[in-house]
Amino acid sequence: EVVLTQSPGTLSLYPGERATLSCRASQRVSSVYIAWYQQKPGQAPRLLMYAASTRATGIPDRFSGSGSGTDFTLTISRVEPEDFAVYYCQQYGGSPLTFGGGTKVEIK
Amino acid sequence: EVQLLESGGGLVQPGGTLTVSCVGSGFTFSNYAMSWVRQAPGKGLEWVSGISGSDGRIYYADSAKGRFTISRDNSKNTLYLEMSNLRAEDTAVYYCAKPRGDRGYQVLTHFQYWGQGTLVTVSS
Protein backbone atom coordinates (compact mmCIF):
# COMPACT_ATOMS: atom_id res chain seq x y z
CA GLU A 1 0.00 0.00 0.00
CA VAL A 2 1.27 3.46 -0.91
CA VAL A 3 1.16 5.73 2.15
CA LEU A 4 0.87 9.44 1.39
CA THR A 5 2.12 11.90 4.00
CA GLN A 6 1.03 15.51 3.68
CA SER A 7 2.76 18.46 5.26
CA PRO A 8 2.32 20.75 6.94
CA GLY A 9 -0.78 19.67 8.83
CA THR A 10 -1.95 23.26 9.01
CA LEU A 11 -0.85 26.26 6.97
CA SER A 12 -1.78 29.70 8.32
CA LEU A 13 -1.69 32.40 5.66
CA TYR A 14 -2.97 35.87 4.89
CA PRO A 15 -5.08 36.26 1.73
CA GLY A 16 -2.77 36.99 -1.18
CA GLU A 17 0.10 34.88 0.14
CA ARG A 18 1.54 31.86 -1.64
CA ALA A 19 0.64 28.40 -0.36
CA THR A 20 2.89 25.39 -0.87
CA LEU A 21 1.47 22.01 0.13
CA SER A 22 3.56 18.85 0.12
CA CYS A 23 2.58 15.22 -0.47
CA ARG A 24 5.23 12.54 0.00
CA ALA A 25 4.67 8.93 -1.06
CA SER A 26 6.14 5.90 0.71
CA GLN A 27 7.18 4.50 -2.66
CA ARG A 28 7.60 5.86 -6.15
CA VAL A 29 4.35 6.86 -7.86
CA SER A 30 4.16 7.86 -11.48
CA SER A 31 3.10 11.49 -11.67
CA VAL A 32 0.23 10.52 -13.94
CA TYR A 33 -1.39 8.89 -10.92
CA ILE A 34 -1.50 11.80 -8.45
CA ALA A 35 -4.61 13.94 -7.81
CA TRP A 36 -5.43 16.78 -5.45
CA TYR A 37 -8.78 17.66 -3.88
CA GLN A 38 -10.17 20.59 -1.92
CA GLN A 39 -12.77 20.07 0.77
CA LYS A 40 -14.72 22.68 2.68
CA PRO A 41 -16.69 21.96 5.86
CA GLY A 42 -19.90 20.04 5.21
CA GLN A 43 -19.10 19.57 1.54
CA ALA A 44 -17.89 16.71 -0.63
CA PRO A 45 -14.34 16.90 -1.97
CA ARG A 46 -13.73 18.84 -5.18
CA LEU A 47 -11.19 17.62 -7.74
CA LEU A 48 -8.50 20.25 -8.34
CA MET A 49 -5.69 18.49 -10.17
CA TYR A 50 -5.00 15.13 -11.78
CA ALA A 51 -1.92 13.63 -13.39
CA ALA A 52 -0.08 15.78 -10.83
CA SER A 53 -0.20 18.97 -12.88
CA THR A 54 -3.41 19.06 -14.94
CA ARG A 55 -6.12 21.34 -13.63
CA ALA A 56 -9.63 19.90 -13.53
CA THR A 57 -12.47 21.66 -15.30
CA GLY A 58 -13.18 25.09 -13.88
CA ILE A 59 -10.17 25.27 -11.57
CA PRO A 60 -8.51 28.70 -11.64
CA ASP A 61 -4.91 29.00 -12.81
CA ARG A 62 -3.68 30.18 -9.42
CA PHE A 63 -3.65 26.44 -8.58
CA SER A 64 -0.72 24.45 -9.95
CA GLY A 65 0.73 21.02 -9.30
CA SER A 66 4.16 19.53 -9.74
CA GLY A 67 6.41 16.72 -8.67
CA SER A 68 7.68 13.30 -9.51
CA GLY A 69 8.85 10.10 -7.90
CA THR A 70 7.83 10.37 -4.27
CA ASP A 71 7.45 14.14 -3.81
CA PHE A 72 4.51 16.13 -5.10
CA THR A 73 3.44 19.72 -4.51
CA LEU A 74 0.26 21.74 -4.83
CA THR A 75 0.82 25.48 -5.04
CA ILE A 76 -1.70 28.28 -4.73
CA SER A 77 0.03 31.36 -6.13
CA ARG A 78 -2.11 33.89 -4.24
CA VAL A 79 -4.58 32.51 -1.73
CA GLU A 80 -8.09 33.88 -2.13
CA PRO A 81 -10.66 33.90 0.71
CA GLU A 82 -12.52 30.97 -0.92
CA ASP A 83 -9.34 28.84 -0.89
CA PHE A 84 -9.30 28.35 2.86
CA ALA A 85 -10.12 24.66 3.15
CA VAL A 86 -8.55 21.22 3.62
CA TYR A 87 -6.53 19.77 0.75
CA TYR A 88 -5.91 16.08 0.10
CA CYS A 89 -3.60 14.30 -2.30
CA GLN A 90 -4.51 10.89 -3.73
CA GLN A 91 -2.63 8.22 -5.64
CA TYR A 92 -4.35 5.98 -8.15
CA GLY A 93 -1.46 3.94 -9.43
CA GLY A 94 -2.79 0.75 -7.92
CA SER A 95 -5.04 -0.85 -5.34
CA PRO A 96 -5.80 0.25 -2.74
CA LEU A 97 -6.33 3.85 -3.73
CA THR A 98 -4.95 6.00 -0.94
CA PHE A 99 -5.31 9.57 0.25
CA GLY A 100 -3.00 11.72 2.30
CA GLY A 101 -4.06 12.90 5.72
CA GLY A 102 -4.78 16.42 4.51
CA THR A 103 -3.42 19.94 4.91
CA LYS A 104 -5.67 22.60 6.36
CA VAL A 105 -5.14 26.06 4.90
CA GLU A 106 -6.47 28.57 7.39
CA ILE A 107 -6.70 32.33 7.59
CA LYS A 108 -3.93 33.90 9.66
CA GLU B 1 -25.74 17.52 -15.20
CA VAL B 2 -24.13 14.64 -13.32
CA GLN B 3 -25.81 13.90 -10.01
CA LEU B 4 -25.06 11.26 -7.41
CA LEU B 5 -27.54 10.75 -4.59
CA GLU B 6 -26.67 8.48 -1.68
CA SER B 7 -29.17 7.06 0.78
CA GLY B 8 -29.54 4.35 3.37
CA GLY B 9 -27.32 5.66 6.15
CA GLY B 10 -28.38 5.56 9.75
CA LEU B 11 -27.69 4.15 13.18
CA VAL B 12 -26.75 0.48 13.41
CA GLN B 13 -25.51 -1.62 16.30
CA PRO B 14 -22.02 -3.13 16.34
CA GLY B 15 -22.08 -6.41 14.46
CA GLY B 16 -25.06 -5.28 12.42
CA THR B 17 -25.63 -4.99 8.69
CA LEU B 18 -26.52 -1.99 6.58
CA THR B 19 -26.73 -1.30 2.86
CA VAL B 20 -26.17 2.16 1.42
CA SER B 21 -27.17 3.10 -2.12
CA CYS B 22 -26.22 5.71 -4.70
CA VAL B 23 -28.38 6.65 -7.67
CA GLY B 24 -26.59 8.26 -10.60
CA SER B 25 -28.15 10.53 -13.21
CA GLY B 26 -27.01 12.78 -16.03
CA PHE B 27 -24.64 10.19 -17.53
CA THR B 28 -24.71 6.66 -18.94
CA PHE B 29 -24.33 4.81 -15.65
CA SER B 30 -23.19 1.47 -17.10
CA ASN B 31 -20.25 3.14 -18.88
CA TYR B 32 -18.57 4.22 -15.66
CA ALA B 33 -16.74 2.53 -12.86
CA MET B 34 -17.88 3.77 -9.48
CA SER B 35 -16.36 3.84 -6.01
CA TRP B 36 -17.25 4.31 -2.37
CA VAL B 37 -15.08 6.66 -0.30
CA ARG B 38 -15.69 7.28 3.40
CA GLN B 39 -14.76 9.95 5.90
CA ALA B 40 -14.91 9.40 9.64
CA PRO B 41 -16.00 12.46 11.68
CA GLY B 42 -13.21 15.01 11.68
CA LYS B 43 -10.88 12.70 9.78
CA GLY B 44 -9.53 12.31 6.26
CA LEU B 45 -10.72 10.44 3.18
CA GLU B 46 -10.51 6.66 2.87
CA TRP B 47 -11.29 4.74 -0.31
CA VAL B 48 -13.42 1.69 0.49
CA SER B 49 -14.22 -0.13 -2.75
CA GLY B 50 -14.63 0.27 -6.50
CA ILE B 51 -16.48 -1.60 -9.23
CA SER B 52 -16.22 -1.46 -13.00
CA GLY B 53 -19.11 -0.41 -15.21
CA SER B 54 -20.12 -3.78 -16.57
CA ASP B 55 -17.32 -6.36 -16.67
CA GLY B 56 -17.22 -7.36 -13.04
CA ARG B 57 -13.90 -5.93 -11.85
CA ILE B 58 -14.07 -5.22 -8.12
CA TYR B 59 -11.51 -3.93 -5.65
CA TYR B 60 -11.62 -3.47 -1.87
CA ALA B 61 -9.55 -1.74 0.76
CA ASP B 62 -8.21 -4.14 3.39
CA SER B 63 -10.60 -2.60 5.94
CA ALA B 64 -13.54 -3.69 3.77
CA LYS B 65 -12.45 -7.13 2.60
CA GLY B 66 -14.64 -9.92 3.91
CA ARG B 67 -17.19 -7.56 5.47
CA PHE B 68 -18.32 -5.20 2.70
CA THR B 69 -19.77 -6.09 -0.71
CA ILE B 70 -19.99 -3.60 -3.55
CA SER B 71 -22.47 -4.18 -6.35
CA ARG B 72 -24.46 -2.29 -8.93
CA ASP B 73 -27.71 -2.56 -10.86
CA ASN B 74 -27.21 -0.76 -14.15
CA SER B 75 -30.91 -1.08 -15.02
CA LYS B 76 -31.64 1.08 -11.97
CA ASN B 77 -28.56 3.33 -12.28
CA THR B 78 -27.77 2.35 -8.71
CA LEU B 79 -24.58 1.50 -6.82
CA TYR B 80 -24.71 -0.39 -3.53
CA LEU B 81 -22.45 -1.09 -0.58
CA GLU B 82 -23.60 -3.85 1.75
CA MET B 83 -21.77 -3.61 5.05
CA SER B 84 -21.83 -6.42 7.58
CA ASN B 85 -20.23 -7.11 10.95
CA LEU B 86 -20.05 -3.35 11.41
CA ARG B 87 -17.65 -1.84 13.95
CA ALA B 88 -17.50 1.53 15.66
CA GLU B 89 -14.59 2.47 13.40
CA ASP B 90 -16.87 2.14 10.35
CA THR B 91 -18.74 5.24 11.53
CA ALA B 92 -18.33 7.72 8.68
CA VAL B 93 -19.94 9.66 5.89
CA TYR B 94 -20.01 7.37 2.88
CA TYR B 95 -19.63 9.07 -0.50
CA CYS B 96 -20.13 7.53 -3.91
CA ALA B 97 -17.72 8.88 -6.49
CA LYS B 98 -17.46 8.86 -10.28
CA PRO B 99 -14.42 9.35 -12.53
CA ARG B 100 -13.97 12.03 -15.18
CA GLY B 101 -15.58 11.40 -18.53
CA ASP B 102 -12.56 9.89 -20.24
CA ARG B 103 -11.70 7.64 -17.29
CA GLY B 104 -14.96 5.72 -17.13
CA TYR B 105 -13.35 2.31 -17.72
CA GLN B 106 -10.82 2.76 -14.92
CA VAL B 107 -11.82 1.54 -11.48
CA LEU B 108 -8.56 2.70 -9.93
CA THR B 109 -8.67 6.38 -10.75
CA HIS B 110 -9.44 9.84 -9.44
CA PHE B 111 -12.92 11.27 -9.00
CA GLN B 112 -14.53 14.26 -10.67
CA TYR B 113 -18.00 13.81 -9.20
CA TRP B 114 -19.08 13.08 -5.65
CA GLY B 115 -22.44 12.67 -3.96
CA GLN B 116 -23.39 14.58 -0.84
CA GLY B 117 -22.71 11.54 1.34
CA THR B 118 -24.75 9.45 3.75
CA LEU B 119 -23.83 9.11 7.42
CA VAL B 120 -23.44 5.66 8.92
CA THR B 121 -23.18 5.54 12.70
CA VAL B 122 -22.21 2.29 14.40
CA SER B 123 -23.09 2.45 18.08
CA SER B 124 -24.99 0.59 20.74
Side-chain angles (χ1 to χ4, degrees):
Chain A
E1 172 176 328
V2 177
V3 176
L4 300 178
T5 302
Q6 291 188 242
S7 62
T10 302
L11 196 52
S12 298
L13 297 169
Y14 293 106
E17 288 193 303
R18 183 182 187 89
T20 302
L21 287 67
S22 173
C23 176
R24 177 162 290 177
S26 60
Q27 56 190 268
R28 188 187 181 279
V29 178
S30 171
S31 62
V32 302
Y33 298 129
I34 291 290
W36 290 89
Y37 299 85
Q38 176 194 68
Q39 188 178 33
K40 297 180 180 179
Q43 296 184 15
R46 175 194 183 195
L47 179 66
L48 295 176
M49 314 286 300
Y50 59 93
S53 60
T54 302
R55 279 187 297 276
T57 302
I59 303 303
D61 60 7
R62 64 179 181 273
F63 290 91
S64 63
S66 64
S68 63
T70 59
D71 292 303
F72 300 91
T73 300
L74 176 72
T75 302
I76 311 172
S77 58
R78 293 172 305 280
V79 176
E80 298 286 339
E82 61 268 28
D83 299 337
F84 291 98
V86 180
Y87 292 82
Y88 296 96
C89 58
Q90 181 216 348
Q91 68 80 24
Y92 47 101
S95 182
L97 304 181
T98 52
F99 292 87
T103 290
K104 181 179 181 180
V105 177
E106 65 175 22
I107 299 175
K108 193 171 184 178
Chain B
E1 178 192 5
V2 171
Q3 291 192 330
L4 301 171
L5 185 61
E6 300 97 335
S7 62
L11 177 64
V12 60
Q13 292 190 336
T17 297
L18 190 70
T19 298
V20 291
S21 304
C22 170
V23 176
S25 61
F27 62 102
T28 303
F29 189 76
S30 60
N31 286 355
Y32 289 87
M34 298 289 293
S35 275
W36 288 100
V37 177
R38 69 182 181 182
Q39 186 169 36
K43 303 298 184 182
L45 302 169
E46 180 189 15
W47 176 80
V48 175
S49 181
I51 184 169
S52 61
S54 57
D55 65 5
R57 288 172 289 137
I58 287 175
Y59 301 86
Y60 293 102
D62 284 349
S63 59
K65 284 178 185 173
R67 298 188 303 126
F68 293 4
T69 301
I70 191 171
S71 63
R72 62 192 295 158
D73 184 339
N74 288 339
S75 69
K76 296 181 178 179
N77 289 356
T78 302
L79 175 72
Y80 302 100
L81 185 69
E82 180 182 359
M83 302 177 286
S84 62
N85 192 19
L86 282 160
R87 308 163 180 164
E89 54 265 37
D90 296 318
T91 294
V93 173
Y94 285 73
Y95 294 103
C96 65
K98 172 192 172 296
R100 285 186 304 111
D102 61 347
R103 299 280 298 182
Y105 183 76
Q106 302 293 336
V107 181
L108 303 178
T109 187
H110 54 278
F111 307 108
Q112 176 80 52
Y113 299 98
W114 299 66
Q116 87 292 343
T118 187
L119 176 62
V120 174
T121 303
V122 184
S123 175
S124 55

